[in-house]
Amino acid sequence: MPETVLKIENLNKTLGKRHILHDISFDAYAGEVFGFLGPNGAGKTTTIKCAVGLISIDSGTISIGGREVSEDFEGAMAQVGGIVENPEMYKFLTARQNLEQYARMRDGITKERIDEVLKIVGLANRADEKISKYSLGMRQRAGVAQAILHKPKVLILDEPTNGLDPAGIKELRDILKHLAHEEGVCVIVSSHLMSEMELMCDRVGIIAQGKMLGVYTLEELMNSSNGENERYLIRCGDAQKAMEAIADIEGIESTLSDDQLEISVPIEGAKETISRINRQIVLAEIPLYEVNLLEKKKLEEAFIEMTGNGGDQIG
């Protein structure tokens, strides 16, 4: 069983008269990238701010590395690195000088550690340039270097890919996966870019209207509505006639889609069932062009289905 690094139990938060968070509970483990997903206003950033001590909580517990925030705040926070919104650094200093300044606030950070984190984030060759000359992606990587300088057990990033171009997003994604899978850090990321979360995360927690809907591996989430079936798309000369030709095959469901036939087939015995479907279509003298297994549901589709929100509300 992997080590539980961040544990949130029954977290509640009220702002004014609004109950923002309702009994939020989840665990995040060492060595994983944990995606925190929810529509705009769902409570992601509020949860993150509670976890890193930026705002107080009304009730519940948050523990980091086995230290409860309410009982040992300094001990818990010593194990956290984070970027909430944008990384803030001295733009008139170089990346190395920024890290040296930050190192003064922490015990035991050596010059070798500064060199190590610069290498991890791919800035070793640009470390002595001023931050003001960095691209947005480079500034974000410099922010990650600062956040991991003291070797935290958990790294928390709120919307870290905002404003980055595709190359910058991939660079950051590779860094975060390296930190989790090679360095054993628990990396927690919230993002509105579902395609990136799909490529980056090992598990995802879904939050909507201040309530946790569940925590899933990507495989579990993407299979959540597929159940025990696989979906196939059949292109043939007459989809309506083909649907009639296979109507007596038990256990399948078929629908017409843009003059094509979409079929849901039980996973058990799927090959034999598809073979029978093909045979009956051909015996009905209907030209058969293609039979394609449809891709499993994308993370974005699963997310929209679970939260009941349109794509423009993802955040």
Side-chain angles (χ1 to χ4, degrees), residues 272-287:
E272 292 77 9
T273 303
I274 286 297
S275 176
R276 183 180 173 189
I277 288 170
N278 293 348
R279 184 167 59 252
Q280 292 194 193
I281 290 174
V282 171
L283 288 174
E285 299 184 348
I286 302 165

Side-chain angles (χ1 to χ4, degrees), residues 243-267:
M243 187 162 67
E244 295 169 1
I246 63 173
D248 63 333
I249 299 178
E250 293 183 3
I252 69 169
E253 295 181 6
S254 57
T255 56
L256 293 175
S257 175
D258 297 327
D259 297 324
Q260 300 178 90
L261 192 58
E262 187 173 316
I263 300 176
S264 176
V265 177
I267 291 175

Side-chain angles (χ1 to χ4, degrees), residues 201-251:
C201 299
D202 301 298
R203 293 190 306 145
V204 293
I206 308 293
I207 184 172
Q209 297 180 339
K211 300 176 182 178
M212 286 296 293
L213 302 184
V215 176
Y216 310 89
T217 65
L218 288 181
E219 189 72 16
E220 288 170 344
L221 190 59
M222 292 181 204
N223 284 334
S224 59
S225 71
N226 292 339
E228 300 298 320
N229 296 325
E230 291 180 339
R231 294 184 301 142
Y232 291 82
L233 195 64
I234 296 176
R235 292 184 62 244
C236 57
D238 188 333
Q240 177 64 51
K241 188 176 178 182
M243 187 162 67
E244 295 169 1
I246 63 173
D248 63 333
I249 299 178
E250 293 183 3

Side-chain angles (χ1 to χ4, degrees), residues 178-191:
H178 168 81
L179 287 170
H181 301 156
E182 304 300 326
E183 306 283 334
V185 179
C186 171
V187 178
I188 299 175
V189 181
S190 76
S191 177

